[in-house]
Amino acid sequence: MENLYHFTITGGISVTTYLLVFIVGIVSAVLACYLPVLAMFASYVQRGAAGDKRKAMLIAINFIMGMVVTSLLAGLIIALLGQQFMPFVEKYRLLNWVPPVFDILAGLQLLGIISFAMPTFQKPTNRPESPQSAVAAFKLGIPYGLVISPCAVPIFFALISYIALQGNPLHGALLMTTYSLGKGLVLAAVAVFSISILRKLAKWGGPVKKIAGYLSIVIGIIFLSIGFMK
């Protein structure tokens, strides 16, 4: 225990940093352009829980654990490879133009101009309807560990850039896990408390997606211009 405490104090792992990353995870999951994902998740939980809050929480926890596994592995990989790729990133100024380009692409996705395949919460119609199992929720959560809202793309890139610069695999894994748990807190709240509210808000999903799409494109263009002016 003393060794772990010593490592935490001297190894660059700050409680404040983790708290900030956790809050950033929460913010990433409550931004307007993440609303469609929350609405789909609420519907998925509702079908599996059938109004039982205990079942809803169980589904949410297993889904979040799937997200955590992906995030943890991503943090490890980013930290291990980050130092090797940072000279390449700095040479071609990737951080100046890659995040804005992703913002623009995300905006185009929200507007329906382009389409990227994403994991779906919907069940295939050729299979009988059955309550979502813990294993199914866990499996579905795995790909969603790296799903970010278009509005949060700059935040996400800032986080992985920090992890890459630190070059500490444990630190990277824990930071990405903390970020995922921040998003998971919102998902758990949605699963238990906010299903009815999100169903009412879902009718605004279309306008919200369009507004978020235009904002994402505008923000991407602005930051892209600033990046190339440096």
Side-chain angles (χ1 to χ4, degrees):
M1 196 61 157
E2 286 184 17
N3 291 336
L4 178 60
Y5 177 79
H6 179 74
F7 175 79
T8 302
I9 299 299
T10 61
I13 299 181
S14 165
V15 174
T16 305
T17 301
Y18 283 107
L19 180 60
L20 179 61
V21 170
F22 183 75
I23 293 172
V24 165
I26 294 174
V27 171
S28 298
V30 298
L31 292 171
C33 44
Y34 202 71
L35 179 60
V37 175
L38 293 181
M40 287 188 294
F41 179 72
S43 176
Y44 173 79
V45 173
Q46 188 179 42
R47 290 198 307 273
D52 187 327
K53 288 189 176 182
R54 185 175 179 181
K55 287 183 179 178
M57 178 58 76
L58 183 62
I59 292 171
I61 289 174
N62 282 279
F63 182 87
I64 293 164
M65 290 306 296
M67 291 174 53
V68 165
V69 168
T70 304
S71 299
L72 188 151
L73 292 175
L76 281 171
I77 294 169
I78 292 167
L80 288 170
L81 301 180
Q83 292 288 353
Q84 300 178 30
F85 284 100
M86 282 313 295
F88 177 80
V89 170
E90 292 174 359
K91 179 179 178 181
Y92 293 100
R93 300 192 300 172
L94 296 185
L95 293 180
N96 289 345
W97 63 269
V98 171
V101 167
F102 268 89
D103 258 345
I104 294 170
L105 291 174
L108 294 174
Q109 163 91 348
L110 287 170
L111 294 175
I113 298 173
I114 59 176
S115 179
F116 298 111
M118 293 292 293
T120 176
F121 288 101
Q122 301 297 326
K123 281 184 170 292
T125 54
N126 60 340
R127 294 184 184 178
E129 191 70 25
S130 60
Q132 279 75 8
S133 68
V135 175
F138 177 81
K139 288 180 178 179
L140 186 59
I142 291 173
Y144 273 87
L146 293 178
V147 171
I148 55 174
S149 64
C151 311
V153 168
I155 297 174
F156 182 76
F157 268 90
L159 174 60
I160 64 175
S161 300
Y162 174 75
I163 292 172
L165 287 170
Q166 289 287 312
N168 185 322
L170 177 60
H171 197 182
L174 292 177
L175 281 173
M176 285 296 292
T177 298
T178 303
Y179 176 76
S180 189
L181 289 174
K183 293 170 64 177
L185 180 65
V186 177
L187 291 171
V190 166
V192 178
F193 302 110
S194 305
I195 291 177
S196 59
I197 296 174
L198 276 170
R199 289 180 68 188
K200 294 177 181 178
L201 291 176
K203 63 181 180 180
W204 299 101
V208 168
K209 282 178 68 176
K210 286 190 176 182
I211 293 171
Y214 287 120
L215 284 175
S216 185
I217 291 171
V218 170
I219 291 171
I221 292 172
I222 291 173
F223 279 101
L224 192 62
S225 302
I226 293 173
F228 280 105
M229 288 171 60
K230 290 182 179 179

